[in-house]
Every structure is written in structure tokens, then in C-alpha cells.
């Protein structure tokens, strides 16, 4: 087995271009301009599929995810090298205004973080930021997003109650609805179930599986079983390298790299 560093663009590029929503190309990232957390990453992101980022703690999963919505730009000194191309526009996301990127790429965090507002206003928030205030449009979009997040039936009679009255699992589905409402080009999820119990986790996994084919999803998970259950493609990272990428089933049953094999067989991580 191979122990080479990060895969090159040529090695990972086994997804046909016309099915790509984005493509990470020779991307390196430096915290504070000096601490290198990503080493020359190449990763295709298939359109309307789920791509999981897995690997041991500290390997760079969250760092890579946060490049997709330019969250690192909120802190001075952070530096990117390389590109994340968006298709079909063929734009380099790293060169777009970060505020615009965050309007186009949605994000859901580890802990549910609803705003101190009603359920309705939480989901409408992203639309209002985009200047949409028409009542009929908001009503339709909020309903559509809550249905998409498998929450509508549980909240349709209390849309104007505080989001804080929902359970943790419901709050996380609300955050997914909030991210979905503006119809993002990519939905990022950073360990979205790690603060939830197994039943709430199963509901989110079902929901993500249903969203699959509708929205392009990139998810960070420390849970290999979760990656295996829900994702179409999986990328294995180690110490800032993207070691292996492939269809999820192939990667778990027939890893080609020694480091991937060691991780999925539980030898470390
Ligand atoms: P993972 O999500 O795989 O656990 P991270 O992306 O959080 O890993 O971290 C990757 C590396 O970057 C780690 O070595 C971590 O210590 C470092 N790192 C993360 N955040 C910062 C930061 N704000 N400043 C400096 N280094 C950081």
C-alpha cells in the first residue's frame, strides 16, 4: 500500500466534470499566515451528492470545510493558496467576496444555534438578509424549507413560538431549514449530530439522505459509520493531507492507502 502525501488533482479526478458542483484544486491553508493546516488538497465535490470528510481529530476536516464558506476570512492573517472552483459558473470561490460566498454556501454547526426568534423568523432570516420581505414568498419558502428539513409536521401549528422551545434535535433540523431556505449552492455540515442523542441523530441522517439528489452536501463527521451510511463519496484526511478519496463503499471496503486502512480498521484515530 501507498504512503504518499496528499493526492494530486490528477489522482482524485475520477468524477466526470459535468457532475461536479465544485472542485478543490491544490488548496493549502495557513492559520495566521504561518501555521499550515491544509497541504495541497485536491477534491472533487459531486453535484447533489453527499461528500463526507473523515479522519482523526486535528487532521484538518473543519479547516477544509470552513474554506468553502470563507469563514476563515473572519479572522485576520489567515491565508489560502490554490482554488475552489464552482461549477457550472467556473468561478474561483477563494476570489469571490466572502460576504457573497456566505450567501451562496450554507452552513450548519455542531451545536444547534437557533436565533432568539420565532421558528418562522429563524427560517426566514436568510431570506430577509437577501432583501426578500414579501409575505407570500416568505410563507412559501419557510414552509418548503421546513418540509425539506422534515420538521414541518412538528411545528406547523406553532410557527410563531420561540425556537428555544424545540428539542435539541428539532433545533438542529431548524438550523438545517434555515440554511436550506435561500437554496444554497452547497450545504456544509460540521459534525451536525455530535451533540444529539441516537434518535435525533437517526432523524438527521434520514433527512440528509432524503435531501441527497436535491442539494450538494459536504459533511464533516468523526463517525465512520455515519459517513458509510449517508455519503456517496468519502475523503480521508490525515495531518492536513487528503490521503484518499473515492466512492464511499469502495473507500471503506477496499482502501488503497495504508493510512486509510489503519484508520478504518481502528488502528489509530
Ligand atoms: P479536525 O476538524 O480534523 O479536528 P481542524 O481543522 O480543527 O481539525 O484542525 C486542523 C489543524 O489546525 C489542527 O492542528 C489544529 O490545531 C489547527 N487549528 C485549528 N484551528 C486553528 C486556529 N484557529 N489557529 C491555529 N491553528 C488552528
Amino acid at each position: 500500500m501507498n504512503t504518499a502525501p496528499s493526492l494530486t488533482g490528477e489522482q482524485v479526478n475520477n468524477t466526470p466534470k459535468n457532475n461536479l458542483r465544485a472542485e478543490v484544486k491544490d488548496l493549502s491553508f495557513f492559520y495566521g499566515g504561518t501555521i499550515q493546516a491544509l497541504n495541497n488538497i485536491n477534491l472533487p465535490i459531486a453535484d447533489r451528492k453527499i461528500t463526507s470528510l473523515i479522519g482523526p481529530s486535528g487532521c484538518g476536516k473543519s479547516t477544509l470545510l470552513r474554506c468553502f464558506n470563507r469563514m476563515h476570512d473572519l479572522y485576520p492573517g489567515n491565508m489560502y493558496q490554490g482554488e475552489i472552483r464552482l461549477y457550472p459558473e467556473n468561478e474561483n470561490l477563494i476570489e469571490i467576496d466572502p460576504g457573497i460566498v456566505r450567501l451562496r454556501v450554507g452552513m450548519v454547526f455542531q451545536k444547534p444555534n437557533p436565533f432568539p426568534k420565532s421558528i418562522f423568523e429563524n427560517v426566514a432570516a436568510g431570506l430577509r438578509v437577501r432583501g426578500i420581505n414579501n409575505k407570500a414568498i416568505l410563507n412559501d419558502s419557510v414552509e418548503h424549507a421546513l418540509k425539506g428539513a422534515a420538521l414541518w409536521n412538528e411545528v406547523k401549528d406553532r410557527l410563531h413560538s420561540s425556537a428555544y422551545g424545540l428539542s435539541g434535535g428539532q433545533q438542529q433540523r431548524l438550523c438545517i431549514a434555515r440554511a436550506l431556505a435561500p437554496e444554497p449552492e452547497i450545504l456544509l455540515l460540521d459534525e451536525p449530530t455530535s451533540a444529539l442523542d441516537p434518535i435525533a441523530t437517526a432523524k438527521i441522517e434520514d433527512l440528509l439522505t432524503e435531501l441527497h439528489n436535491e442539494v450538494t452536501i459536504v459533511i464533516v463527521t468523526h463517525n465512520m459509520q455515519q459517513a458509510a451510511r449517508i455519503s456517496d463519496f468519502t475523503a480521508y484526511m490525515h495531518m492536513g493531507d487528503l490521503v484518499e478519496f473515492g466512492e464511499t463503499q469502495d473507500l471503506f471496503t477496499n482502501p488503497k492507502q495504508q493510512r486509510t486502512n489503519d484508520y478504518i480498521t481502528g488502528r489509530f484515530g
Side-chain angles (χ1 to χ4, degrees):
M1 273 191 208
N2 201 323
T3 53
S6 278
L7 294 177
T8 63
E10 218 166 284
Q11 284 170 311
V12 293
N13 217 349
N14 55 2
T15 312
K17 270 267 193 299
N18 56 2
N19 290 333
L20 290 188
R21 192 70 185 83
E23 189 177 20
V24 181
K25 293 178 107 171
D26 297 326
L27 182 74
S28 295
F29 178 78
F30 303 81
Y31 283 107
T34 51
I35 303 167
Q36 184 161 7
L38 297 176
N39 312 323
N40 204 47
I41 303 293
N42 286 280
L43 173 67
I45 303 294
D47 188 34
R48 284 168 289 164
K49 299 285 176 205
I50 302 180
T51 301
S52 286
L53 307 179
I54 65 165
S57 187
C59 69
K61 304 181 292 296
S62 290
T63 302
L64 176 56
L65 194 75
R66 284 156 195 246
C67 292
F68 281 92
N69 72 346
R70 301 279 302 278
M71 259 191 53
H72 300 299
D73 293 65
L74 297 172
Y75 306 93
N78 290 338
M79 191 176 84
Y80 308 85
Q81 264 172 16
E83 301 185 342
I84 300 181
R85 298 219 74 88
L86 288 175
Y87 299 116
E89 302 88 350
N90 200 11
E91 294 171 276
N92 179 9
L93 187 152
I94 301 298
E95 285 172 356
I96 302 173
D97 177 86
I100 305 276
V101 171
R102 274 173 235 127
L103 292 176
R104 292 170 59 174
V105 178
M107 177 125 179
V108 173
F109 296 87
Q110 193 167 351
K111 283 208 187 116
N113 60 347
F115 302 139
K117 292 181 175 187
S118 69
I119 293 166
F120 184 94
E121 284 303 331
N122 262 276
V123 184
L127 299 163
R128 291 200 192 278
V129 170
R130 288 160 181 79
I132 300 167
N133 286 303
N134 177 294
K135 216 162 177 253
I137 295 177
L138 285 179
N139 285 343
D140 279 357
S141 302
V142 167
E143 179 173 340
H144 185 71
L146 285 169
K147 283 181 173 160
L151 190 58
W152 176 249
N153 286 338
E154 290 160 63
V155 301
K156 64 178 190 290
D157 299 323
R158 49 170 168 152
L159 289 177
H160 299 287
S161 309
S162 168
Y164 289 165
L166 299 174
S167 70
Q170 287 173 324
Q171 287 187 7
Q172 194 62 313
R173 280 181 281 142
L174 181 68
C175 293
I176 293 175
R178 183 174 70 193
L180 285 176
E183 300 186 352
E185 292 174 35
I186 302 176
L187 178 63
L188 309 173
L189 300 120
D190 196 352
E191 303 208 6
T193 61
S194 60
L196 303 180
D197 65 49
I199 292 173
T201 295
K203 279 196 180 152
I204 301 263
E205 287 187 7
D206 287 348
L207 155 63
L208 295 178
T209 313
E210 275 170 34
L211 283 175
H212 150 275
N213 288 334
E214 282 183 43
V215 59
T216 301
I217 293 177
V218 185
I219 180 171
V220 164
T221 177
H222 64 263
N223 180 332
M224 277 189 281
Q225 286 77 16
Q226 179 168 74
R229 278 193 295 268
I230 67 170
S231 57
D232 301 286
F233 297 97
T234 298
Y236 172 66
M237 296 183 69
H238 184 94
M239 293 178 72
D241 293 336
L242 197 149
V243 172
E244 185 158 356
F245 166 79
E247 291 194 25
T248 296
Q249 207 184 346
D250 282 353
L251 186 130
F252 280 106
T253 54
N254 184 24
K256 295 184 178 53
Q257 304 286 332
Q258 185 67 51
R259 287 188 288 179
T260 316
N261 188 57
D262 289 349
Y263 182 69
I264 65 177
T265 54
R267 231 166 274 168
F268 71 89

